[in-house]
Amino acid sequence: MSESTHPNRRGFLGAVGAVSALGIVGGAAEPAFAQGAAPAGASGKPPSKGDFTLMETTVADIHNAYRNGRLTCRRLVEQYLERIAAYDKHGPVLKSLITVNPHALDVADDLDRRFRRSGLTGPLHGIPIILKDNFDTFDMPTTGGNTAMRDSRPSADAFTVDKMRRAGALILAKANLQEFARGGNSLSSLGGQVLNPYDLGRTPGGSSGGTGAAIASNLAVLGTGSDTGQSIRSPASANSLVGVRPTRGLISRHGVMPNSITQDEIGPITRTVEDAARLLDVMVGFDPADPVTAFGVGRAPHSYTDQLKSNALRGARIGVMTNMFGTEERHQEVNRVMEDVISTMRLRGATVIRFNLAAYDTLQSVVANSTWEAHTAMDAYFAELGPQAPVRSLEQLVATRTATPEPQAALEAELAIKDGLNAPEYKDRTLNREKLRLAVAGKMAELELDAILYPLQKVLVSPVGIPQPERNGTLSNGTGFPAVCFPGGFSTPTAAAPIGVPVGAELLGREYSEPLLLSLAYAYEKASGARKPPRATPPLAP
């Protein structure tokens, strides 16, 4: 069966998606996509390699290049495939990817034909995306990084993947990860250890570290991650990227291999705030298969991208939560970067209020409930894979003993809890989550804060082989409130890290405050220019 006719139970009409001929994505009209209907010189010689600058390119850059004839989707994909070969499989051997789409060039050709007929077919037309390999795709395996799952092929895309394809995106590859997203170092039995391109002796954070390393290294334009603890934001912090953990209920998790019913969220990992907003525009929406998304109906703006303002820090009240910072020598590199972030925000007109939230110190260790939910969540996922799946239950998966030690131990602990949703400790932790929500919301109201600022990690990302300590993801995962991690700066350069190790700053806000958080991060991004690409993956010679 050809790539362009492969069926999908969601009504997906091909590997490039049924990109809407009416310009409608998620119920919102997009009339601008028909502008510049055909590329200049589209019927002549293909654009040459030198006509377009690939490094650090954005969705807007690519669409402008398509319109003026400097680029085709095929040429763009060819360049990314060249970089994948040079840096992921050779050179530094990042091991950021598990599967590269074998039909990527055919999909690119189809997108080019569509563009010649009618211009941009959607907001992500011809944009290569890397998915964490726990997002279901009908045309590639979804493995969770596990050898027993190497041949698991879901019959349909995840809800959000289907939306991306309908928006014109090209799924270029599936990223390596911490196996089954159980942990933070991005090591898997199928893909090996992902390396951090800024310091090849360190991890890229996790669990979405493959996506982080790949996007930082310019192996694609956009990426996705999942976040039970801090697994979108940890790789964003470690790789000088933007990561968005959305409000609970804003984005469907259906079709994404789960850890938790309550804590799991999915979201963008990108090089710029604007591109994170563009991907968020496509990902949000109600999905009957994930009923919690009913709470998000009517809460998303027409466009997150249109809400971005370079002067958003002017008049903003930013709370700096001091008990999210370390006080010892090992914390000083991160603290120095964060003080620079605070200074820049003040210079751009923000009022900064430092405070301590004692309730966080009391509750942060007793709000995680994923271990009690995992058995139920995983068995529900496996049941949807159908009788052809290589693994049909959590019990069967654990019995294969194929996972690396940390995930294997986590899976065994989850399996041992037979009735987790009725366990007294689970109910206590669920109540503690509500206590933390009230404490955070109450302090924001008391101090009249727009957002809370803190480092995603109190210390630099760990060397390979050492678990990542002192992460601050609980403020978001324990409350369901949204958080945006963005490049804050770099540690002091060393021989191993020639421009330093990235340090991510994070802003957290009230429910459905993504437009404000993204706008604040955007204003900081424009003021600071903090992001830098890694030297381990430079531009390829023409």
Side-chain angles (χ1 to χ4, degrees), residues 442-466:
K443 181 59 72 171
M444 292 188 72
E446 175 192 336
L447 299 178
E448 299 180 334
L449 301 179
D450 294 304
I452 298 174
L453 175 70
Y454 49 90
L456 187 277
Q457 298 176 169
K458 294 180 182 179
V459 294
L460 299 179
V461 68
S462 289
V464 169
I466 298 177

Side-chain angles (χ1 to χ4, degrees), residues 103-436:
H103 303 292
L105 290 173
D106 293 335
V107 177
D109 287 342
D110 191 34
L111 284 162
D112 284 335
R113 285 190 291 269
R114 291 169 180 262
F115 183 69
R116 287 193 293 270
R117 289 198 301 266
S118 58
L120 299 178
T121 57
L124 298 181
H125 176 95
I127 301 300
I129 293 181
I130 289 173
L131 304 174
K132 185 177 184 179
D133 199 12
N134 59 353
F135 282 65
D136 284 355
T137 47
F138 79 87
D139 53 349
M140 287 178 276
T142 299
T143 71
N146 179 252
T147 55
M149 296 286 289
R150 70 166 70 242
D151 295 319
S152 182
R153 291 179 175 268
S155 61
D157 285 327
F159 180 81
T160 50
V161 176
D162 183 50
K163 286 172 69 68
M164 292 174 208
R165 298 212 220 217
R166 290 176 182 274
L170 183 151
I171 308 304
L172 181 62
K174 306 288 286 293
N176 198 3
L177 65 156
Q178 177 79 7
E179 201 158 358
F180 295 113
R182 265 65 168 185
N185 285 16
S186 296
L187 168 68
S188 72
S189 63
L190 187 58
Q193 174 66 62
V194 186
L195 301 181
N196 189 313
Y198 292 92
D199 181 342
L200 297 171
R202 294 180 186 266
T203 77
S207 61
S208 310
T211 303
I215 299 303
S217 300
N218 285 268
L219 304 188
V221 187
L222 307 175
T224 68
S226 62
D227 190 313
T228 306
Q230 47 264 308
S231 293
I232 289 171
R233 298 160 293 144
S234 172
S237 175
N239 292 279
S240 193
L241 298 170
V242 178
V244 180
R245 178 185 167 99
T247 303
R248 175 167 162 76
L250 189 66
I251 298 178
S252 170
R253 291 97 33 103
H254 187 242
V256 179
M257 197 177 294
N259 279 21
S260 167
I261 299 165
T262 300
Q263 287 183 228
D264 284 354
E265 299 298 338
I266 64 172
I269 299 175
T270 62
R271 290 185 290 271
T272 69
V273 175
E274 182 176 325
D275 276 354
R278 290 183 185 277
L279 185 50
L280 198 63
D281 280 342
V282 171
M283 294 180 76
V284 300
F286 172 65
D287 177 11
D290 188 1
V292 73
T293 56
F295 292 113
V297 172
R299 304 302 298 270
H302 172 70
S303 170
Y304 291 97
T305 312
D306 292 346
Q307 301 283 316
L308 300 177
K309 296 179 176 63
S310 59
N311 65 349
L313 286 165
R314 188 181 305 155
R317 290 178 61 84
I318 306 296
V320 173
M321 189 166 158
T322 55
N323 50 323
M324 301 286 264
F325 291 69
T327 59
E328 300 181 21
E329 180 61 30
R330 68 180 183 276
H331 302 118
Q332 295 314 304
E333 288 280 11
V334 170
N335 290 352
R336 175 185 58 78
V337 171
M338 290 302 300
E339 288 301 325
D340 288 344
V341 173
I342 292 166
S343 294
T344 299
M345 288 186 170
R346 278 181 169 147
L347 287 171
R348 290 290 162 163
T351 297
V352 173
I353 302 97
R354 297 179 190 260
F355 72 95
N356 181 292
L357 185 64
Y360 178 78
D361 294 333
T362 301
L363 293 168
Q364 60 92 18
S365 64
V366 289
V367 293
N369 55 17
S370 57
T371 300
W372 288 264
E373 295 179 339
H375 195 163
T376 298
M378 288 289 279
D379 278 355
Y381 173 81
F382 285 126
E384 288 199 355
L385 291 180
Q388 79 288 348
V391 175
R392 301 293 309 283
S393 68
L394 179 61
E395 182 176 12
Q396 183 183 347
L397 174 64
V398 168
T400 68
R401 301 197 62 79
T402 51
T404 50
E406 184 181 0
Q408 182 70 29
L411 294 169
E412 289 174 0
E414 293 161 4
L415 181 65
I417 300 175
K418 300 302 182 184
D419 191 19
L421 301 187
N422 287 315
E425 186 171 357
Y426 174 74
K427 295 177 181 179
D428 288 344
R429 285 172 174 261
T430 300
L431 178 60
N432 288 338
R433 294 175 66 82
E434 188 62 24
K435 291 178 181 178
L436 184 59

